[in-house]
Amino acid sequence: MSAGSTGQPFDIVKVRLQTTTRYTGAVDAATQIFKNEGPLAFYKGTLTPLVGIGACVSVQFGGFHYARRQFEARNTLQGRSPSLSYTQLYASGAFAGLANSFLSGPIEHVRIRLQTQPHGAGRLYNGPIDCVRKLSAHQGVMRGLYRGQAVTMLREAQAYGVWFLTFEYLMNRHASTNGIPRSEISAPLIALYGGLAGEALWLSSYPFDVVKSKMQSDNLGSQRRYLGTHDCFMKMWAEEGMRGFWRGLGPTLVRALPVSAGTFAV
């Protein structure tokens, strides 16, 4: 939880850069947020991910190890080594990501709504519970609270497939190169490889995340800009080009290294 709260200021800068073009970059976004909304604005929407982070991490690792055991059993049954191929490791991570998406989708939707709503008297939501209630009341749970779920599933499958694959590759490579079992790899190296896996996670899935943020900060009902994932992709490409899909990447990568390192090191 401490990693999530520490990284929250980077996250709101990322989301603001993804969802609006009024900032020239990360430093400008952070400066304007501080100047116009105060230091506490960097922690808007923090409560929801803090409450859900434990469950999400449990699903991520639980889903990965469940799929891993299934592949090990299948490999053994076929008379092969139970060790997973890198394709199977990616698939195990993707399975974990898909399972996690049903938690992360609504959690991140609420967080993004709170991070992007107008400041002061014009705010739309009084907190996460009020946001959940209003989103669900507007279009129901599936179309309201779970808006953007299709692209969330795409992002999570790709992200966690690459996350676990990268970490396992780096650990296996280190053990093989140095002729030691994985259990003897030091904690600082495990943290380093976890951090690098976090960088790979975002580099491989970031455009999906931008589309998700656009959809989950969009107007509701008849005033919405995007009819769905494909429509959002096409409008972004037409209006912003390739650069639009990478807005906010800098603060995301800065945040990812320590957060991911801490997740694997614990």
Side-chain angles (χ1 to χ4, degrees):
M1 286 192 177
S2 60
S5 59
T6 303
Q8 184 68 11
F10 293 102
D11 190 72
I12 191 170
V13 170
K14 177 202 77 166
V15 170
R16 293 288 182 90
L17 289 171
Q18 288 177 333
T19 57
T20 180
T21 57
R22 71 174 180 264
Y23 306 115
T24 59
V27 174
D28 181 50
T31 301
Q32 289 198 43
I33 292 170
F34 182 85
K35 179 180 178 181
N36 299 325
E37 303 173 44
L40 292 181
F42 289 103
Y43 293 91
K44 285 182 176 180
T46 302
L47 181 60
T48 309
L50 282 182
V51 170
I53 192 171
C56 286
V57 171
S58 295
V59 169
Q60 290 158 15
F61 281 89
F64 174 74
H65 289 297
Y66 170 81
R68 185 174 195 162
R69 288 192 298 270
Q70 299 307 305
F71 278 122
E72 288 173 344
R74 179 184 175 187
N75 290 346
T76 301
L77 191 64
Q78 294 177 346
R80 302 182 300 182
S81 168
S83 299
L84 273 64
S85 67
Y86 286 116
T87 300
Q88 290 173 329
L89 286 169
Y90 173 85
S92 298
F95 173 81
L98 286 172
N100 185 58
S101 70
F102 293 97
L103 286 176
S104 65
I107 288 172
E108 293 188 14
H109 188 185
V110 171
R111 173 178 56 77
I112 288 170
R113 291 285 175 187
L114 294 174
Q115 288 176 330
T116 58
Q117 70 172 333
H119 180 63
R123 67 180 183 176
L124 304 173
Y125 312 106
N126 293 320
I129 294 176
D130 184 52
C131 184
V132 169
R133 182 178 61 81
K134 287 178 178 176
L135 289 173
S136 300
H138 187 77
Q139 290 183 302
V141 172
M142 295 310 297
R143 295 185 63 191
L145 190 59
Y146 273 87
R147 177 164 173 75
Q149 185 63 17
V151 73
T152 300
M153 294 172 71
L154 288 172
R155 186 201 67 174
E156 296 288 82
Q158 170 68 359
Y160 288 101
V162 170
W163 194 49
F164 283 108
L165 170 63
T166 302
F167 179 75
E168 292 295 320
Y169 171 78
L170 292 172
M171 291 286 288
N172 290 343
R173 180 67 181 270
H174 182 92
S176 175
T177 301
N178 293 278
I180 60 172
R182 284 179 45 145
S183 59
E184 292 185 11
I185 299 176
S186 67
L189 280 173
I190 292 173
L192 172 63
Y193 296 150
L196 293 175
E199 301 292 276
L201 178 157
W202 283 109
L203 288 170
S204 68
S205 63
Y206 196 75
F208 293 125
D209 189 68
V210 177
V211 171
K212 182 185 78 68
S213 293
K214 290 272 194 182
M215 293 185 65
Q216 292 181 336
S217 61
D218 192 15
N219 294 324
L220 300 174
S222 60
Q223 295 182 320
R224 66 180 183 176
R225 283 201 67 206
Y226 308 114
L227 301 178
T229 300
H230 180 263
D231 185 52
C232 187
F233 266 106
M234 297 305 294
K235 285 179 178 175
M236 280 187 62
W237 180 262
E239 296 169 5
E240 303 178 51
M242 181 64 74
R243 291 183 62 185
F245 292 95
W246 299 97
R247 287 181 60 85
L249 179 63
T252 303
L253 294 179
V254 171
R255 176 181 183 268
L257 187 69
V259 170
S260 185
T263 301
F264 278 104
V266 172

